[in-house]
Amino acid sequence: MIKQLFIVISFLYFVYSAPQGGDQYEAYAYQYEVKDPEKQLFFDKNESGDTSGKVSGQYSVWLPDGRLMTVKYTVDKESGYVSDVGFQDNANPLSG
């Protein structure tokens, strides 16, 4: 359920953030990380886009069952949204 929710949110983000005219893109990059040991919470994201309009990035979420879900994705005009979802068992991103 969480996996599908993040995929849908990511897809909607890219659909609504696409330029509305022309093919002029600006390069950008951003990242964030949230760690809350008290609430056993971790998630992060990094993303970059280039002047051709290609976007690539990944985000991770520490799931309640102890796995770390990581979604790597790219978005471009030819392939659209392409993602690869992976899981790391018994992860603890709060340590270290």
Side-chain angles (χ1 to χ4, degrees):
M1 178 67 178
I2 292 175
K3 174 180 159 184
Q4 291 88 358
L5 178 62
F6 281 105
I7 291 172
V8 169
I9 289 170
S10 296
F11 177 76
L12 291 175
Y13 169 78
F14 291 114
V15 169
Y16 288 107
S17 66
Q20 297 302 313
D23 286 344
Q24 298 177 345
Y25 300 92
E26 291 187 31
Y28 71 93
Y30 74 92
Q31 64 182 22
Y32 64 83
E33 180 179 273
V34 175
K35 282 186 174 183
D36 188 339
E38 182 179 317
K39 295 183 180 177
Q40 295 290 293
L41 181 68
F42 173 86
F43 55 94
D44 69 353
K45 180 173 183 177
N46 65 65
E47 179 180 290
S48 62
D50 64 21
T51 56
S52 71
K54 183 175 181 178
V55 174
S56 59
Q58 75 174 38
Y59 60 90
S60 299
V61 178
W62 193 27
L63 302 174
D65 65 5
R67 296 179 299 157
L68 183 66
M69 178 183 73
T70 300
V71 178
K72 297 178 183 180
Y73 60 88
T74 58
V75 182
D76 62 28
K77 294 178 188 177
E78 291 79 35
S79 302
Y81 177 82
V82 178
S83 65
D84 178 36
V85 180
F87 295 90
Q88 179 183 350
D89 292 330
N90 300 315
N92 186 353
L94 300 178
S95 65

